[in-house]
Amino acid sequence: MEDADGMPPNARGNALQMAQREATRDRLVEGAVRVFTRKGYAACVVADVLKEAHVSRASFYAHFASMQALVAEIADRFAPVWQPHYRELANLPGKTLEQLTGWCARMVRFYRENEAVCVILAQASLLDQEIYGKTSGYQDVLADMIADSEPGLAHLRYDPDARLRIGLVLSQLDRACYYLGVRNWEGDPQVGIATMAAQLHHFLHGELRRGGAAAG
Amino acid sequence: MEDADGMPPNARGNALQMAQREATRDRLVEGAVRVFTRKGYAACVVADVLKEAHVSRASFYAHFASMQALVAEIADRFAPVWQPHYRELANLPGKTLEQLTGWCARMVRFYRENEAVCVILAQASLLDQEIYGKTSGYQDVLADMIADSEPGLAHLRYDPDARLRIGLVLSQLDRACYYLGVRNWEGDPQVGIATMAAQLHHFLHGELRRGGAAAG
């Protein structure tokens, strides 16, 4: 027997429970972002998150094994927000200086608009080996996107030296976005954006030359 | 009346007290570096430093108003260790790619050899506005050294746009040294060092062209 919405009554009860469960999880994640932003990630303990989210300790641990697990979830939820920006970089047809300047400007604005989460993830990945591992894993995804975007960059996927080079450059891109978007927003970001774009252009075209030379 | 060592007796007593005071201060700084390295700066409270240094709480506060003040002292003591490296960069006569590669290799090795202090300062300046202000101040000193090293770079001292560019590049140099020296030492650092040196060369010669164009 099915209900009006096409689900058996038990499933509807379960669906309600699941929705409540999800709502609690969301409250924990959103509360954590607020309290980390206010007090700093390093200064927060589980009790701060409970108080901010109005959730019991038992509920917290039903969702997350630890604070790290909660921060890992913040990182995971944020990934689909920033990954399209890197996909856009990968897909820029000629990777011209003009295109890269536009892209860098968007990235700096993106860090600025998502300052709270950017600061939390920067702090957590510096303090926490587990979160660092997660953000490094994301960096690998970005490196692959760029490697796969054109044949002249394919070596960025399989050549270990090229892999280290792009790892370094992506890490520096993150630093530049953070520096311009979060730390020094008062200054004219356009000047810094031009420097970022020039570096990225220099790097990508150097790699395109290497990749072309290897293929030829 | 003077003593055999040429000091009045009171002064000798004072000198002894001062030496003891300095020894306590050294114990606090060295104990803090050890315990921050073991537990992470963010996880440490004053009690951890007292226990590690075998110093009383009263003595701690006779020397330092806060943990931040102690970390600021760690940063100040470390400055004369790393500043000569930047002076060396400033003084490289032609700033050729070969010279810059050698310099970057030495810097990465330097971060590796001073990993404990580098990690503490990276964490503290991300978590702590006051320490960030201090490390930013050091960055200004570096920018000045480089600006003063040759006429073609003099605009790095007074032009606010150029100042932002060199601030960004110094911040990225720090990130690169950290990435290669502390995070990814297992990988072949030479590959990353070549990338760092190419970036630095690209930046400095770009600025030399700007400086030359402005002067000409």
Side-chain angles (χ1 to χ4, degrees), chain B:
Chain B
M1 192 184 91
E2 286 197 349
D3 215 27
D5 60 4
M7 282 196 277
N10 264 2
R12 200 170 55 160
N14 288 345
L16 184 66
Q17 279 177 349
M18 274 181 63
Q20 283 171 339
R21 207 181 132 76
E22 276 314 296
T24 302
R25 197 175 179 89
D26 290 349
R27 277 225 306 286
L28 283 166
V29 169
E30 289 155 18
V33 170
R34 282 197 306 276
V35 72
F36 292 167
T37 302
R38 212 164 57 232
K39 292 186 65 172
Y41 166 68
C44 286
V45 291
V46 170
D48 296 305
V49 177
L50 305 182
K51 199 175 158 194
E52 181 73 25
H54 302 285
V55 166
S56 72
R57 189 168 286 267
S59 286
F60 179 97
Y61 285 105
H63 284 279
F64 301 107
S66 63
M67 272 293 239
Q68 278 107 314
L70 173 53
V71 177
E73 170 113 357
I74 294 174
D76 284 336
R77 290 185 178 206
F78 195 46
V81 182
W82 57 257
Q83 281 183 345
H85 289 277
Y86 279 88
R87 191 162 301 283
E88 195 193 313
L89 169 62
N91 291 340
L92 290 175
K95 298 186 172 59
T96 64
L97 188 57
E98 197 184 350
Q99 291 169 340
L100 295 172
T101 305
W103 182 81
C104 288
R106 290 191 291 280
M107 281 308 286
V108 170
R109 200 182 318 126
F110 176 78
Y111 270 62
R112 180 69 191 169
E113 286 166 358
N114 295 280
E115 177 174 346
V117 176
C118 289
V119 170
I120 291 166
L121 296 182
Q123 293 183 348
S125 60
L126 192 55
L127 297 175
D128 203 306
Q129 204 54 41
E130 202 183 310
I131 305 295
Y132 178 71
K134 180 166 274 289
T135 54
S136 292
Y138 282 136
Q139 211 183 63
D140 276 332
V141 174
L142 303 185
D144 286 344
M145 278 185 197
I146 293 169
D148 296 347
S149 70
E150 37 195 305
L153 296 175
H155 63 292
L156 294 175
R157 188 185 262 278
Y158 58 78
D159 171 356
D161 287 359
R163 200 75 186 170
L164 182 66
R165 289 196 298 270
I166 188 157
L168 176 63
V169 166
L170 289 174
S171 173
Q172 289 184 307
L173 258 185
D174 170 65
R175 167 67 71 104
C177 290
Y178 195 86
Y179 186 83
L180 297 171
V182 178
R183 287 289 195 197
N184 289 277
W185 193 243
E186 324 85 65
D188 176 5
Q190 204 49 52
V191 174
I193 286 162
T195 301
M196 264 180 83
Q199 287 175 340
L200 190 55
H201 186 261
H202 181 69
F203 170 74
L204 287 171
H205 288 268
E207 293 299 333
L208 280 165
R209 272 194 305 278
R210 284 175 199 260

Side-chain angles (χ1 to χ4, degrees), chain A:
Chain A
M1 192 184 94
E2 287 194 349
D3 215 27
D5 58 7
M7 283 194 277
N10 266 0
R12 201 168 56 161
N14 287 344
L16 184 66
Q17 278 178 349
M18 275 181 61
Q20 284 172 337
R21 206 181 135 77
E22 277 314 296
T24 301
R25 197 176 181 89
D26 289 349
R27 277 225 306 285
L28 284 166
V29 169
E30 289 155 17
V33 170
R34 282 197 306 275
V35 72
F36 293 167
T37 301
R38 211 164 59 233
K39 292 186 62 172
Y41 166 67
C44 285
V45 292
V46 170
D48 296 306
V49 177
L50 305 182
K51 199 176 158 193
E52 181 73 25
H54 302 284
V55 166
S56 72
R57 189 168 287 266
S59 287
F60 180 97
Y61 285 106
H63 284 279
F64 300 109
S66 63
M67 271 295 237
Q68 278 107 316
L70 172 54
V71 178
E73 170 114 357
I74 294 174
D76 285 337
R77 289 186 178 205
F78 194 46
V81 182
W82 56 258
Q83 280 182 345
H85 289 275
Y86 279 87
R87 190 163 302 283
E88 193 194 314
L89 169 63
N91 291 340
L92 291 174
K95 298 184 171 61
T96 65
L97 188 57
E98 197 186 349
Q99 290 170 340
L100 294 173
T101 304
W103 183 81
C104 289
R106 289 191 292 280
M107 281 308 286
V108 169
R109 199 182 320 125
F110 177 77
Y111 270 61
R112 183 66 192 169
E113 286 166 357
N114 294 278
E115 178 174 347
V117 176
C118 289
V119 171
I120 292 167
L121 295 183
Q123 292 184 347
S125 59
L126 193 55
L127 298 175
D128 204 306
Q129 205 53 43
E130 202 183 313
I131 305 296
Y132 177 70
K134 179 168 277 290
T135 54
S136 292
Y138 282 135
Q139 212 184 62
D140 276 332
V141 174
L142 303 184
D144 286 345
M145 277 184 197
I146 293 168
D148 295 349
S149 70
E150 36 195 306
L153 295 175
H155 63 292
L156 294 174
R157 188 185 261 278
Y158 58 77
D159 171 356
D161 287 359
R163 200 76 187 171
L164 181 66
R165 289 196 297 271
I166 187 154
L168 176 63
V169 166
L170 289 174
S171 172
Q172 289 183 308
L173 258 185
D174 170 65
R175 167 68 71 106
C177 290
Y178 195 86
Y179 187 83
L180 297 171
V182 178
R183 288 288 196 197
N184 288 278
W185 193 242
E186 323 85 69
D188 176 5
Q190 204 50 49
V191 174
I193 286 162
T195 301
M196 263 180 85
Q199 287 175 340
L200 190 55
H201 186 260
H202 181 69
F203 170 75
L204 288 170
H205 287 268
E207 293 298 332
L208 280 165
R209 273 194 305 279
R210 283 174 201 261

